[in-house]
Amino acid sequence: PWAGRGGNDKNIALHGSRETFPYQGWALALRLARLLSVALGTASVGFTIAIARLAFPKHPWAAVAAGGFMAFCPQFLFMSGVVNNDNLLILAATVSVWQTLRILRRPTQTRLWAGLGVWLGIAILAKPHGAAVLGTCGIALLWHLRATLGWRPFARRALVSALPIAGITLWWFVRNQVVYGDPLGVGVYESIYWMNLRTAPLDLDAIWAMVTVQ
């Protein structure tokens, strides 16, 4: 792949006649999966608009700006047209933020907490990085509701969110531990995608090169 990491070929694969219309077999399956990615990306834009409407109810143009900013972000457009797990993570993270804002408005509605748990579980299952969404939403709720609800009511509702998260994700981590001896499967990832791993230290020069790359 990537011409042995030393050439200038931008293609990972060569496309043959079996990929032409009418699609059959794996070529059809690939395009159907890409359509699913498009649907997930579209839904993410929709929920981004919904987040802006909740956050800035008196400024309707904020929703248009937020949706447009996300929809026309080049990397987001690219990711929404290929098959990968990032699209599900993006949607789950976006819905989780939307659900968090709804809870802040109606903190006593148990179903909102349960719904948040479901989407946080989906985010973590889609990619372990989804745990960052759990931290963000949890801190926001704790910061704003600790005085409004009190510690015990808050803890009970947090448990309502925790149960769906555990039900959706725990089996996967147990399975990884049984199969790979590692709940995150990091060792297997490193053995397959070793070419993507950094071998040099992450120093200030490397960070500067990352943020200034053309």
Side-chain angles (χ1 to χ4, degrees):
W2 293 283
R5 301 189 69 199
N8 56 9
D9 190 351
K10 299 298 188 282
N11 295 304
I12 298 179
L14 297 177
H15 302 280
S17 60
R18 288 186 298 173
E19 295 187 54
T20 57
F21 186 83
Y23 309 120
Q24 296 180 351
W26 61 266
L28 176 60
L30 176 62
R31 279 157 179 80
L32 291 176
R34 289 177 65 186
L35 286 176
L36 176 60
S37 293
V38 172
L40 294 174
T42 303
S44 296
V45 173
F47 278 102
T48 299
I49 294 173
I51 289 172
R53 292 182 64 181
L54 283 177
F56 307 102
K58 297 181 179 180
H59 303 280
W61 279 105
V64 178
F69 181 82
M70 185 172 188
F72 295 105
C73 175
Q75 185 66 11
F76 177 76
L77 282 172
F78 168 73
M79 297 299 290
S80 298
V82 297
V83 181
N84 61 75
N85 55 343
D86 288 334
N87 292 309
L88 181 58
L89 171 59
I90 293 170
L91 174 61
T94 307
V95 179
S96 295
V97 173
W98 174 71
Q99 196 77 341
T100 299
L101 292 178
R102 296 179 69 200
I103 292 175
L104 292 177
R105 288 171 171 247
R106 291 172 287 178
T108 59
Q109 291 198 6
T110 304
R111 63 180 182 85
L112 296 180
W113 291 82
L116 175 62
V118 170
W119 283 104
L120 287 174
I122 293 174
I124 296 173
L125 190 62
K127 210 167 189 177
H129 299 75
V133 186
L134 170 62
T136 301
C137 295
I139 292 172
L141 292 173
L142 181 63
W143 179 266
H144 288 282
L145 298 180
R146 68 190 189 282
T148 305
L149 291 177
W151 286 108
R152 288 188 177 181
F154 180 85
R156 287 197 298 268
R157 287 170 173 81
L159 181 61
V160 172
S161 294
L163 291 176
I165 296 175
I168 292 173
T169 63
L170 279 183
W171 69 271
W172 176 250
F173 298 121
V174 172
R175 178 256 184 198
N176 287 343
Q177 181 65 41
V178 172
V179 176
Y180 305 121
D182 177 4
L184 297 177
V186 174
V188 177
Y189 176 88
E190 291 179 346
S191 66
I192 297 175
Y193 297 103
W194 58 268
M195 73 285 293
N196 294 335
L197 301 179
R198 170 179 291 277
T199 56
L202 185 61
D203 53 20
L204 291 178
D205 291 337
I207 296 175
W208 179 252
M210 291 170 58
V211 299
T212 58
V213 64
Q214 296 297 322

